Amino acid sequence: MGLSSLSSRLTVFEKTNYVFKNWRHASAGSVVFPGCGFPSFFPKTLAALKDALRPVSGVSFALDCCGLPLEGLKGPEAYRAELSRVEERLVRVGAREVVPLCPNCGSAFAEALGRSVSQVTIYAFLRELTERGLIDCARVATPGAVFVPCPDRAHREWLDDLAYFLEPSVFVSECSACCGAAFELSQPEASFVAAKRVLESVARECARAGMEEPVLYVYCASCAGKLERARRQCLGSLAGSVRVVHALSALMEVNETPAVSATVLNRAKAAIR
């Protein structure tokens, strides 16, 4: 059995009736949904977000997987079954709206929640709370390029909501390639090549913009993990010079590098908190 096959089987085991789910704190109102990727790579940022939202009435958190990783590994029926399970749980706790932290979850919920629970991106949610004076968010100010992930390419809804927090020194990358995360388990070598190309493309864009250090802002946790792993494999080269930053980490003023070496542990810790 190859590594890719073993990884696929472990992923299917974990994501089927998600092993690390935690609905203990979910309640009626706005339910923030970090998914499985964000807690894996950004535990400090997640903790900071919880602290920022704790004083806001009617906001709670639910840790679960939307089921999307199963679509390509176990089939569409398994994916829809997991998504339906999450939808039913949201309805059961009385959620008025779900606030995903990742466009992958957002695209999944767009298929399932129209009849029961609305959804709003985390950036639109934070903007509303900021304008109401309920929380304070930093601006994304350090010069860099924003990478648009595959789920947001068609409509750029997440990008439009994030734009409220971007200073003029931050521009949108013209790179339209996939980061490679979508086929990391099935085609690991091709996945690495795809990520490397994205990093190189962004490094060149930042150089043309006169930036001494290329900074790549992402708002998809899967992209963050994939690109950071590739960056570490390319140290000393153009691709390895790029600093990968999640936009939400910047808003929370958390200096957190994607924790690519402790993902399972991070998910487990999130489940017991």
Side-chain angles (χ1 to χ4, degrees):
M1 183 187 301
L3 177 60
S4 176
S5 178
L6 175 60
S7 298
S8 298
R9 293 187 182 192
L10 289 173
T11 299
V12 168
F13 171 78
E14 179 186 322
K15 309 301 182 185
T16 302
N17 195 12
Y18 188 50
V19 174
F20 300 119
K21 58 182 173 292
N22 180 349
W23 287 80
R24 291 191 300 275
H25 307 294
S27 59
S30 301
V31 177
V32 180
F33 193 89
C36 57
F38 197 88
S40 299
F41 299 114
F42 299 101
K44 295 178 182 177
T45 303
L46 181 57
L49 179 65
K50 287 181 176 181
D51 287 343
L53 295 179
R54 187 168 288 114
V56 183
S57 177
V59 178
S60 61
F61 282 74
L63 290 171
D64 211 326
C65 174
C66 68
L68 188 59
L70 291 173
E71 185 174 32
L73 296 173
K74 198 176 179 181
E77 290 185 3
Y79 158 51
R80 284 192 290 268
E82 287 303 298
L83 188 57
S84 295
R85 178 184 61 78
V86 172
E87 178 187 16
E88 290 169 4
R89 198 74 181 261
L90 287 167
V91 172
R92 200 182 314 155
V93 301
R96 174 177 54 85
E97 64 182 4
V98 61
V99 187
L101 301 192
C102 221
N104 285 318
C105 292
S107 64
F109 289 142
E111 298 180 10
L113 299 178
R115 302 180 307 277
S116 52
V117 182
S118 64
Q119 76 157 306
V120 59
T121 74
I122 182 61
Y123 303 104
F125 187 66
L126 292 178
R127 174 178 179 171
E128 179 185 354
L129 296 179
T130 299
E131 291 178 339
R132 290 169 57 191
L134 297 177
I135 63 170
D136 289 318
C137 281
R139 304 281 295 178
V140 181
T142 300
V146 178
F147 179 68
V148 182
C150 294
D152 201 37
R153 293 271 166 82
H155 304 293
R156 298 200 168 194
E157 176 187 4
W158 287 68
L159 179 62
D160 289 343
D161 292 340
L162 173 61
Y164 173 80
F165 296 100
L166 303 180
E167 292 290 350
S169 58
V170 180
F171 64 91
V172 179
S173 171
E174 295 179 1
C175 181
S176 59
C178 174
C179 73
F183 47 94
E184 183 171 16
L185 293 176
S186 59
Q187 303 176 64
E189 291 185 10
S191 175
F192 166 73
V193 170
K196 183 171 181 283
R197 286 174 178 167
V198 170
L199 292 168
E200 291 172 341
S201 176
V202 169
R204 295 188 184 100
E205 287 183 285
C206 290
R208 289 195 295 269
M211 299 177 189
E212 293 184 3
E213 179 191 30
V215 175
L216 172 57
Y217 289 106
V218 297
Y219 52 95
C220 169
S222 296
C223 289
K226 181 65 216 181
L227 293 169
E228 176 63 16
R229 287 192 185 101
R231 184 198 70 81
R232 295 187 184 191
Q233 290 181 256
C234 298
L235 292 178
S237 70
L238 182 64
S241 69
V242 179
R243 182 158 63 95
V244 179
V245 179
H246 198 289
L248 194 52
S249 290
L251 295 187
M252 293 295 107
E253 297 184 280
V254 178
N255 184 22
E256 185 171 26
T257 300
V260 296
S261 60
T263 55
V264 176
L265 179 60
N266 289 336
R267 292 196 293 277
K269 286 181 177 179
I272 62 177
R273 288 172 179 165

